[in-house]
CSV table of all heavy atoms in Angstrom, one decimal:
chain,number,residue,atom,x,y,z
B,420,ASN,N,20.4,10.0,12.4
B,420,ASN,CA,20.3,11.3,11.8
B,420,ASN,C,20.2,12.4,12.8
B,420,ASN,O,19.6,13.5,12.6
B,420,ASN,CB,19.0,11.4,10.9
B,420,ASN,CG,19.2,12.4,9.7
B,420,ASN,OD1,20.3,12.8,9.4
B,420,ASN,ND2,18.0,12.8,9.2
B,421,GLY,N,20.9,12.2,13.9
B,421,GLY,CA,20.9,13.2,15.0
B,421,GLY,C,19.8,13.2,16.0
B,421,GLY,O,19.8,13.9,17.0
B,422,ILE,N,18.8,12.3,15.7
B,422,ILE,CA,17.6,12.3,16.5
B,422,ILE,C,17.7,11.2,17.5
B,422,ILE,O,17.9,10.0,17.1
B,422,ILE,CB,16.3,12.1,15.6
B,422,ILE,CG1,16.3,13.2,14.5
B,422,ILE,CG2,15.1,12.1,16.4
B,422,ILE,CD1,15.5,12.7,13.3
B,423,PRO,N,17.5,11.5,18.8
B,423,PRO,CA,17.6,10.4,19.8
B,423,PRO,C,16.6,9.3,19.8
B,423,PRO,O,15.4,9.6,19.4
B,423,PRO,CB,17.5,11.3,21.1
B,423,PRO,CG,16.7,12.4,20.7
B,423,PRO,CD,17.0,12.8,19.3
B,424,ILE,N,17.0,8.1,20.1
B,424,ILE,CA,16.1,7.0,20.2
B,424,ILE,C,15.8,6.8,21.7
B,424,ILE,O,16.7,6.5,22.5
B,424,ILE,CB,16.7,5.7,19.6
B,424,ILE,CG1,17.1,6.0,18.2
B,424,ILE,CG2,15.6,4.6,19.7
B,424,ILE,CD1,17.8,4.8,17.6
B,425,LEU,N,14.5,6.9,22.1
B,425,LEU,CA,14.1,6.8,23.4
B,425,LEU,C,13.4,5.5,23.7
B,425,LEU,O,13.0,4.8,22.7
B,425,LEU,CB,13.2,8.0,23.8
B,425,LEU,CG,13.8,9.4,23.5
B,425,LEU,CD1,12.8,10.4,23.9
B,425,LEU,CD2,15.1,9.6,24.2
B,426,ASP,N,13.2,5.2,25.0
B,426,ASP,CA,12.5,3.9,25.3
B,426,ASP,C,11.0,4.0,25.1
B,426,ASP,O,10.3,4.9,25.5
B,426,ASP,CB,12.7,3.7,26.8
B,426,ASP,CG,12.3,2.3,27.3
B,426,ASP,OD1,11.3,1.8,26.7
B,426,ASP,OD2,12.9,1.7,28.1
B,427,ALA,N,10.5,3.0,24.3
B,427,ALA,CA,9.1,3.0,23.9
B,427,ALA,C,8.1,3.0,25.1
B,427,ALA,O,7.0,3.5,25.0
B,427,ALA,CB,8.8,1.8,23.1
B,428,SER,N,8.6,2.5,26.3
B,428,SER,CA,7.7,2.5,27.4
B,428,SER,C,7.4,4.0,27.9
B,428,SER,O,6.5,4.2,28.8
B,428,SER,CB,8.3,1.7,28.5
B,428,SER,OG,9.5,2.3,29.0
B,429,GLU,N,8.2,4.9,27.4
B,429,GLU,CA,8.0,6.3,27.9
B,429,GLU,C,7.2,7.2,26.9
B,429,GLU,O,7.2,8.4,27.1
B,429,GLU,CB,9.3,6.9,28.2
B,429,GLU,CG,9.8,6.4,29.6
B,429,GLU,CD,11.3,6.5,29.8
B,429,GLU,OE1,11.9,7.4,29.1
B,429,GLU,OE2,11.9,5.8,30.6
B,430,ILE,N,6.6,6.6,25.9
B,430,ILE,CA,5.9,7.4,24.9
B,430,ILE,C,4.9,8.3,25.6
B,430,ILE,O,4.8,9.5,25.4
B,430,ILE,CB,5.2,6.5,23.9
B,430,ILE,CG1,6.3,5.8,23.0
B,430,ILE,CG2,4.3,7.3,23.0
B,430,ILE,CD1,5.7,4.7,22.1
B,431,GLY,N,4.0,7.7,26.4
B,431,GLY,CA,3.0,8.4,27.1
B,431,GLY,C,3.5,9.6,27.9
B,431,GLY,O,3.0,10.7,27.7
B,432,ALA,N,4.5,9.3,28.7
B,432,ALA,CA,5.0,10.4,29.6
B,432,ALA,C,5.6,11.5,28.7
B,432,ALA,O,5.4,12.7,28.9
B,432,ALA,CB,6.1,9.8,30.5
B,433,TYR,N,6.4,11.0,27.7
B,433,TYR,CA,7.0,12.0,26.8
B,433,TYR,C,6.0,12.9,26.1
B,433,TYR,O,6.1,14.2,26.1
B,433,TYR,CB,7.8,11.3,25.7
B,433,TYR,CG,8.5,12.2,24.8
B,433,TYR,CD1,9.8,12.6,25.0
B,433,TYR,CD2,7.9,12.8,23.6
B,433,TYR,CE1,10.5,13.5,24.1
B,433,TYR,CE2,8.5,13.6,22.8
B,433,TYR,CZ,9.8,14.0,23.0
B,433,TYR,OH,10.5,14.8,22.2
B,434,CYS,N,4.9,12.3,25.6
B,434,CYS,CA,3.9,13.1,25.0
B,434,CYS,C,3.2,14.1,25.9
B,434,CYS,O,3.0,15.3,25.5
B,434,CYS,CB,2.8,12.2,24.3
B,434,CYS,SG,3.4,11.3,22.9
B,435,ARG,N,2.9,13.7,27.1
B,435,ARG,CA,2.3,14.6,28.0
B,435,ARG,C,3.2,15.7,28.4
B,435,ARG,O,2.7,16.8,28.6
B,435,ARG,CB,1.8,13.8,29.3
B,435,ARG,CG,0.5,13.0,29.0
B,435,ARG,CD,0.0,12.3,30.2
B,435,ARG,NE,0.8,11.2,30.7
B,435,ARG,CZ,0.7,10.0,30.2
B,435,ARG,NH1,-0.2,9.7,29.2
B,435,ARG,NH2,1.4,9.0,30.6
B,436,GLU,N,4.5,15.5,28.4
B,436,GLU,CA,5.4,16.5,28.8
B,436,GLU,C,5.7,17.5,27.6
B,436,GLU,O,5.7,18.7,27.8
B,436,GLU,CB,6.7,15.9,29.3
B,436,GLU,CG,7.6,16.9,30.0
B,436,GLU,CD,8.6,16.1,30.9
B,436,GLU,OE1,8.2,15.1,31.5
B,436,GLU,OE2,9.8,16.5,30.8
B,437,ASN,N,5.9,16.9,26.4
B,437,ASN,CA,6.4,17.7,25.3
B,437,ASN,C,5.3,18.0,24.2
B,437,ASN,O,5.6,18.9,23.4
B,437,ASN,CB,7.5,17.0,24.6
B,437,ASN,CG,8.7,16.8,25.5
B,437,ASN,OD1,9.5,17.7,25.7
B,437,ASN,ND2,8.8,15.6,26.1
B,438,SER,N,4.2,17.4,24.3
B,438,SER,CA,3.1,17.6,23.4
B,438,SER,C,3.5,17.7,21.9
B,438,SER,O,3.2,18.7,21.2
B,438,SER,CB,2.4,19.0,23.8
B,438,SER,OG,2.0,18.9,25.1
B,439,PRO,N,4.1,16.7,21.4
B,439,PRO,CA,4.3,16.7,19.9
B,439,PRO,C,2.9,16.5,19.3
B,439,PRO,O,2.0,15.9,19.9
B,439,PRO,CB,5.2,15.4,19.7
B,439,PRO,CG,4.8,14.5,20.9
B,439,PRO,CD,4.6,15.5,22.0
B,440,GLN,N,2.8,17.0,18.1
B,440,GLN,CA,1.4,17.0,17.4
B,440,GLN,C,1.2,15.7,16.6
B,440,GLN,O,0.1,15.2,16.5
B,440,GLN,CB,1.2,18.2,16.5
B,440,GLN,CG,1.1,19.5,17.2
B,440,GLN,CD,2.5,20.2,17.4
B,440,GLN,OE1,3.5,19.6,17.2
B,440,GLN,NE2,2.5,21.5,17.7
B,441,ILE,N,2.3,15.2,16.0
B,441,ILE,CA,2.1,14.1,15.1
B,441,ILE,C,3.0,12.9,15.5
B,441,ILE,O,4.1,13.1,15.9
B,441,ILE,CB,2.5,14.6,13.6
B,441,ILE,CG1,1.5,15.6,13.1
B,441,ILE,CG2,2.6,13.4,12.7
B,441,ILE,CD1,1.9,16.2,11.8
B,442,ALA,N,2.5,11.7,15.3
B,442,ALA,CA,3.2,10.5,15.5
B,442,ALA,C,3.3,9.7,14.3
B,442,ALA,O,2.2,9.4,13.7
B,442,ALA,CB,2.6,9.7,16.7
B,443,ALA,N,4.5,9.4,13.8
B,443,ALA,CA,4.7,8.5,12.7
B,443,ALA,C,4.8,7.1,13.2
B,443,ALA,O,5.6,6.8,14.1
B,443,ALA,CB,5.9,8.9,11.9
B,444,ILE,N,3.9,6.2,12.7
B,444,ILE,CA,3.8,4.8,13.1
B,444,ILE,C,4.7,4.0,12.2
B,444,ILE,O,4.3,3.8,11.1
B,444,ILE,CB,2.4,4.3,13.2
B,444,ILE,CG1,1.5,5.2,14.0
B,444,ILE,CG2,2.4,2.9,13.7
B,444,ILE,CD1,1.8,5.2,15.4
B,445,ALA,N,5.8,3.5,12.7
B,445,ALA,CA,6.7,2.7,11.9
B,445,ALA,C,7.0,1.3,12.6
B,445,ALA,O,8.1,0.9,12.7
B,445,ALA,CB,8.0,3.4,11.7
Side-chain angles (χ1 to χ4, degrees):
Chain B
N420 204 18
I422 305 155
I424 306 175
L425 308 179
D426 189 325
S428 67
E429 280 159 26
I430 293 175
Y433 181 94
C434 289
R435 281 185 289 277
E436 197 162 317
N437 298 280
S438 305
Q440 292 90 348
I441 294 174
I444 305 294

